[in-house]
Each structure stands twice: as C-alpha cells, then as structure tokens.
C-alpha cells in the first residue's frame, strides 16, 4: 500500500488511476467524483469545513444528479452565516417554521437530510456532523450515544485460513468474488523478509469520506451505533463512495445477484424477527445488494438490532467463524467490551484464548476425582491431577492477578474466566490457598520475602511477565491510515504494513475455499465478476434511477 506524493488517494497514484478509469465506465461525471473524493478527504483531515465542502459542490451535484441530499443540519446553520451562492439562497429564507424550511430546501434540491429527516444520523435523535474551530471535524462530536461497534484484530494470531471471509460471504449471500473481507499476506521488503498478514474489512470510520460524497445519502452512519451502511433502496450506483474510500472496500453489484431476496428471507438460518436484510428502521442495509448498487462490510446490523436473536447482538459472522479467535467484535466505547479488553492487555487475552481453545483448563469433575486422596499442598495437588500442570495453574492465576473484576461482565473472555474460577473453587475447597506464600512463590508469581519482612502477596509485574512469556506481545497496535483523519473503528495488533509491503500468496488459496448460500450453491471466493458488463448496459439501463 504505497503512497504517491502526486496522488490524493492514500493507496497511491496507480489506485487513483484505476478508480478514475472505473468512473469513466459509468454514466456519471468522472471529474466531479474524483474532485469530491479529494476534498472529502480534506474534510476528514481538518483542511476544509463540512459547510464549505457542501457549498462548493452543491450546484455541480444538482446538475449531475438532480438532487443533493448531502448537507447536514450543521452545514445548513453554518452556511446561513456566510455570503455567496448556496449560502445566499439559504439566507433568503427567514425561518418561518420547520415546514416552510422543508419546502424551501426541497425546492433547492437539498433534500430531507438537511432538516433532520435523512440518513446523516439525525433521524434517530443524534447530533449531525459538526466542524471544530479549525474547520475540520471534532471527531467525538459526530454522534451521541454509548455504542460504537468495531473490532480488534490480532494479526499475529490470524492463521490465514480464510474462515472469516467464507463466513461473511455465506452470512450475506454474496456473489462469488464480492468479498467484504480480505486476508492479505504480504512481505515488507528490505531487512524484514518475514511474511505478515492483514485482515481488511470496512473500517466503519467515525468520519467516513465515502458518506460525504454520496448525493442521495444512501451511504450513511447509523446514529445509534456508528455503523456505516448503504441503503440499497436509495443507492444509485454512482460509485463516488468507492473513490472516496481510503481503504478500497467497496463493491459494485454488476448483475442480478445469484441469490434472490425470496431465498434469503426463506433461509431457516435467518428465522429471527427479521430476514437479514432490513434493519429496525425499515431500511434495506443488510445482506447482498441488488443490481446496480454499492455494497461493503456492514458489521451485521441485523444481528446488532436483535433481529437474528438476542444472543447474536454484539457478534459478527467473521468473529464467530475465526478458529484462533483473532477477531474481537464489540463496543469500542465500552472499556469492558471484548475488543477493548483485548487491546488493554493482549498477552492476558491471548493466554485466555489459547488455554481455553486448547482445553488446557481441566474439567471440574475430573479434578475433584483426582484430588480425592491428595494432600492440600501445591506439590501434592499438581502430582495428583492428571490435567492440571504447573504452567497452566500459573497462567490461570496470573490472569486473575492482572484482571480487575475477574469473572465479571458480559465480554466473551469472561466465560474463560468463569471456567478458571470454577477450578479455583475446587482447589480452595480441597484446602489449597491460592493466595498463600507457598503457592504464589511456587508459581513464580511473588517474591520470597527476607526473614525480617512480611510476605506482600502476588506481584502483578511477575504475573504480567508470565503471560508475556507464554503468549508474547504484539509488534505494534495501530489503526489503518490514522493520519487521514477518518477515525477508523478497527484496531490491529501486529505488524503494520510499511511503504514497501507487497502482497504474496497466503497459506490457503481463495479458489480452494467454498461457502454455502441460501440457494444451496457453494461457490469459491475467487473474483470472476466483471466480464465487460458495461458493454451490455450501463447502471441506468438496469433500472436504477433517481
């Protein structure tokens, strides 16, 4: 992912050229799409205000699309204070009530978004995007609410099996090659010859440039939980969002989808209150998109709305399918959520995942039986137990020592913690004091005191060292393209791709991986979608209209 100084796009000049060529194949203005994308990224960087961006392109968007639903309430208020063009038209209205303003805005072509009825987050009672004093965005002021869905992805635990890609495609009934997630293996060149890995879903940016360029607000941020979604009923397929995305995660649905809406709705795996397509607002934002529209990773909004069952809230298909538990999905604004707990102490979280996945934690009944005739000292307990060794007991006790409110909360890792607590209860009932000097010193989790000193108990640093020695520490903690100002809601642990990163083959080939769809078909993940589709017809020809 190299960057070219002459390109506005973070992915470089070659990518920018491909995007421009792609726009040239549509019926819409390529130059307008490229310029809007360039300035949308300037807005996220704080170099251009939201209101100036809307005013700059309003007439051009109206000429090209006949509608401009982009302005937010804040842009409207800011524009009223300024002179010139669009602002003068706004100032000509003196504010005789919401209904009058709505009529004026509709006549201007600005649309319902400017009066709080559109998709810029205002429809659900939140705050619209706002500009800070520098003219850019005050990121945390975009949206009120306690929930922001996102992910922490441990790239060093990812084994490249493609299970997440397969599960996403299956859950959403995607056409072959429409992979909303990718697992990219790469080498960084130079002195570093090791092979690294990057998992790339949509980043669900808090300040998404793709949203800013959408003339119909089909691309929008859901106010209640920060998901960046596409309303397929509103999308016109102009592909401007694809150009404005710094991460290259958007897909255009070239032809009729392989799986019909009827087949999706009839799928017994989707038998909750909804059909995995429409969210609680009644907007078609989930599952695969119809012909002539844009799609991307959605982070499973139907799950988050409880329409797939309450047990699926706070989960995603990719997380559920990941064998090494490399993906942690949850609320990025909650310190006790899975991703935040993982980011806070990766070594602790890796240890819990690893000893849990390898079934290193013994069964309660088996441990009780083993200890029936054993003495209550540490050595006797370890000798008597068939499934509990010294290292496992050390690691279990270390996780408790470094964890505040151990075993409490509703994070996934708490299940592992509860299993540990059950084992500790058996040991304590047997007479082994896990906080005693004998046990903690014996497990290297405390220092032996001098003769004239009192025992000070567990040493948190010793516990952390034990976890790090077992599970390691990630090479880095990063978010992709943080300097662009999008505030992505996917955090990574592991090696960050450098300027010389080059993609190489992974351990599992996309052509060797198959997924099941609602129609019973099982395609592989290879991209074979576009075969000169535009030679047969444009987006307008497939029935997509304003």
């Amino acid at each position: 992912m190299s960057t070219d100084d002459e390109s506005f796009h973070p992915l470089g000049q070659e990518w920018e050229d491909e995007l421009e060529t792609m726009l040239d194949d549509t019926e819409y203005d390529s130059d307008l799409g490229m310029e809007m994308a360039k300035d949308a990224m300037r807005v996220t960087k704080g170099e251009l205000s939201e209101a100036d961006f809307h005013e700059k392109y309003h007439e051009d968007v109206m000429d090209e699309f006949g509608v401009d639903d982009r302005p937010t309430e804040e842009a409207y208020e800011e524009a009223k204070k300024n002179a010139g063009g669009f602002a003068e038209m706004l100032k000509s209205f003196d504010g005789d009530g919401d209904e009058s303003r709505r009529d004026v805005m509709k006549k201007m072509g600005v649309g319902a978004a400017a009066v709080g009825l559109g998709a810029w987050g205002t429809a659900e009672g939140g705050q619209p995007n706002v500009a800070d004093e520098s003219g850019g965005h005050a990121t945390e002021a975009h949206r009120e609410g306690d929930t922001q869905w996102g992910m922490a992805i441990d790239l060093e635990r990812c084994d490249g099996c493609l299970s997440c890609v397969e599960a996403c495609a299956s859950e959403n009934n995607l056409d072959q090659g429409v992979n909303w997630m990718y697992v990219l293996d790469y080498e960084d060149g130079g002195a570093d010859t090791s092979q690294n890995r990057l998992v790339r879903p949509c980043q669900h940016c808090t300040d998404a440039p793709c949203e800013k360029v959408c003339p119909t607000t089909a691309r929008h941020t859901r106010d209640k939980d920060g998901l960046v979604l596409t309303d397929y009923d509103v999308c016109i397929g102009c592909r401007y969002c694809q150009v404005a995305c710094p991460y290259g995660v958007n897909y255009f649905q070239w032809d009729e989808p392989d799986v019909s809406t009827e087949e999706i709705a009839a799928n017994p795996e989707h038998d909750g209150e909804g059909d995995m397509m429409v969210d609680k607002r009644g907007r078609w934002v989930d599952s695969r998109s119809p012909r002539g529209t844009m799609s991307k990773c959605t982070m499973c909004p139907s799950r988050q709305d409880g329409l797939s069952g309450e047990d699926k809230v706070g989960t995603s298909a990719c997380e559920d399918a990941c064998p090494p538990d490399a993906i942690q999905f949850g609320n990025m604004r909650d310190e006790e959520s899975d991703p935040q707990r993982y980011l806070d102490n990766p070594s602790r979280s890796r240890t819990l995942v690893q000893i849990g996945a390898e079934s290193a934690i013994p069964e309660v009944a088996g441990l009780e039986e083993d200890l029936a005739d054993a003495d209550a000292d540490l050595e006797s307990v370890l000798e008597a137990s068939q499934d509990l060794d010294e290292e496992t007991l050390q690691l279990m006790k270390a996780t408790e020592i470094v964890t505040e409110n151990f075993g409490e909360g509703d994070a996934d890792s708490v299940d592992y913690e509860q299993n540990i607590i059950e084992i500790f209860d058996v040991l304590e009932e047997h007479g082994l004091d896990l906080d005693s000097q004998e046990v903690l010193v014996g497990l290297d989790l405390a220092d032996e005191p001098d003769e004239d000193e009192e025992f000070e108990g567990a040493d948190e640093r010793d516990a952390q060292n034990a976890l790090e020695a077992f599970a390691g520490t990630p090479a880095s903690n990063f978010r992709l393209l943080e300097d662009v100002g999008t505030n992505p809601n996917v955090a990574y642990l592991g090696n960050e791709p450098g300027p010389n990163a080059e993609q190489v083959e992974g351990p599992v080939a996309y052509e060797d991986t198959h997924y099941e769809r609602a129609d019973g078909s099982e395609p592989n993940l290879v991209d074979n979608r576009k075969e000169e589709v535009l030679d047969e017809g444009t987006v307008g020809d497939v029935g997509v209209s304003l």
Side-chain angles (χ1 to χ4, degrees), residues 124-238:
E124 295 180 84
Q127 295 296 316
N129 290 357
V130 297
D132 62 19
E133 293 180 358
S134 67
H137 279 90
T139 301
E140 291 304 316
H142 284 309
R143 187 180 54 80
E144 289 182 344
D146 296 327
T147 302
Q148 171 62 66
W149 297 120
M151 297 178 181
I153 303 179
D154 192 339
L155 301 173
E156 294 175 357
R157 281 197 60 81
C158 174
D159 60 6
C161 68
L162 304 185
S163 293
C164 59
V165 185
E166 177 185 354
C168 175
S170 179
E171 173 110 351
N172 293 287
N173 290 282
L174 303 180
D175 281 2
Q176 181 173 334
V178 184
N179 300 324
W180 287 355
M181 293 190 75
Y182 261 99
V183 178
L184 308 171
D185 282 70
Y186 68 92
E187 294 177 352
D188 244 344
D192 182 10
T193 58
S194 61
Q195 186 165 328
N196 303 291
R197 190 166 289 128
L198 178 69
V199 182
R200 190 220 60 184
C202 172
Q203 307 292 296
H204 287 264
C205 308
T206 301
D207 196 5
C210 63
E211 181 179 22
K212 302 180 191 306
V213 301
C214 180
T216 66
T217 67
R219 179 63 53 83
H220 63 283
T221 298
R222 218 166 60 159
D223 181 63
K224 74 172 185 176
D225 55 17
L227 293 183
V228 180
L229 303 172
T230 308
D231 188 330
Y232 301 143
D233 284 325
V234 180
C235 178
I236 60 172
C238 68

Side-chain angles (χ1 to χ4, degrees), residues 8 10 34-50 52-53 56-57 134-137 207 209 212-213 244 246 483-486:
F8 77 84
M34 299 299 289
E35 288 301 313
M36 287 184 71
K38 180 178 180 180
D39 278 340
M41 292 187 192
R42 289 182 61 206
V43 174
T44 64
K45 292 179 180 178
E47 299 172 357
L48 181 68
S49 75
E50 191 90 40
D52 287 343
F53 175 73
K56 179 177 181 179
Y57 290 105
S134 67
H137 279 90
D207 196 5
K212 302 180 191 306
V213 301
D483 58 334
V484 177
T486 57

Side-chain angles (χ1 to χ4, degrees), residues 121-416:
T122 55
E124 295 180 84
Q127 295 296 316
N129 290 357
V130 297
D132 62 19
E133 293 180 358
S134 67
H137 279 90
T139 301
E140 291 304 316
H142 284 309
R143 187 180 54 80
E144 289 182 344
D146 296 327
T147 302
Q148 171 62 66
W149 297 120
M151 297 178 181
I153 303 179
D154 192 339
L155 301 173
E156 294 175 357
R157 281 197 60 81
C158 174
D159 60 6
C161 68
L162 304 185
S163 293
C164 59
V165 185
E166 177 185 354
C168 175
S170 179
E171 173 110 351
N172 293 287
N173 290 282
L174 303 180
D175 281 2
Q176 181 173 334
V178 184
N179 300 324
W180 287 355
M181 293 190 75
Y182 261 99
V183 178
L184 308 171
D185 282 70
Y186 68 92
E187 294 177 352
D188 244 344
D192 182 10
T193 58
S194 61
Q195 186 165 328
N196 303 291
R197 190 166 289 128
L198 178 69
V199 182
R200 190 220 60 184
C202 172
Q203 307 292 296
H204 287 264
C205 308
T206 301
D207 196 5
C210 63
E211 181 179 22
K212 302 180 191 306
V213 301
C214 180
T216 66
T217 67
R219 179 63 53 83
H220 63 283
T221 298
R222 218 166 60 159
D223 181 63
K224 74 172 185 176
D225 55 17
L227 293 183
V228 180
L229 303 172
T230 308
D231 188 330
Y232 301 143
D233 284 325
V234 180
C235 178
I236 60 172
C238 68
R239 305 186 72 175
Y240 284 12
C241 59
Q242 189 169 12
V243 182
C245 173
Y247 303 99
V249 300
N250 288 273
Y251 286 87
F252 182 73
Q253 183 65 37
W254 290 101
D255 212 336
E256 289 295 334
D258 294 338
V259 182
S260 69
T261 57
E262 291 78 12
E263 288 169 315
I264 296 173
N267 187 349
E269 294 184 4
H270 300 160
D271 60 357
E273 296 177 26
D275 57 12
M276 292 293 294
M277 296 172 64
V278 177
D279 68 4
K280 274 196 170 181
R281 302 168 302 170
R283 303 186 70 169
W284 184 7
V285 297
D286 209 354
S287 197
R288 94 295 182 272
S289 66
R291 186 181 184 188
T293 60
M294 300 301 301
S295 71
K296 64 170 189 64
C297 155
T298 62
M299 288 191 176
C300 305
S302 295
R303 287 187 176 215
Q304 314 322 329
D305 285 351
L307 300 178
S308 300
E310 289 300 319
D311 60 322
K312 293 292 184 71
V313 176
T315 70
S316 64
C318 57
E319 178 194 38
D320 286 351
C322 182
D325 277 346
I327 299 173
Q328 305 296 322
F329 180 85
N331 183 5
M332 301 300 282
R333 294 186 175 183
D334 180 3
E335 293 182 356
E336 296 301 316
S337 69
D338 291 315
Q340 291 296 6
R341 286 163 68 97
Y342 205 100
L343 292 167
D344 181 61
N345 192 334
S347 300
R348 168 203 170 277
S349 297
R350 286 176 172 181
T351 299
L352 283 171
V353 167
Q354 191 161 330
I355 64 177
E358 294 176 354
S359 300
I361 302 175
E363 295 289 338
V364 168
L367 182 60
E368 289 175 333
E369 184 176 342
D370 290 344
L371 298 181
D373 298 321
D375 292 334
D377 61 282
L378 177 62
E379 183 178 356
S380 298
V381 165
L382 293 175
E383 285 182 355
S385 175
Q386 297 186 37
D387 299 319
L388 181 63
D389 56 40
E390 183 175 343
E391 181 187 42
T392 301
L393 182 57
Q394 179 203 46
L395 293 171
M396 291 194 297
K397 186 61 181 176
T399 58
E400 181 195 44
I401 292 170
V402 302
T403 304
E404 187 176 355
N405 300 321
F406 191 74
E408 298 178 10
D410 57 4
D412 290 343
S413 60
V414 171
D415 291 338
Y416 293 129

Side-chain angles (χ1 to χ4, degrees), residues 506-518:
V508 178
Y510 277 67
E511 59 265 26
D512 295 335
T513 304
H514 295 261
Y515 59 100
E516 184 177 357
R517 298 184 299 203

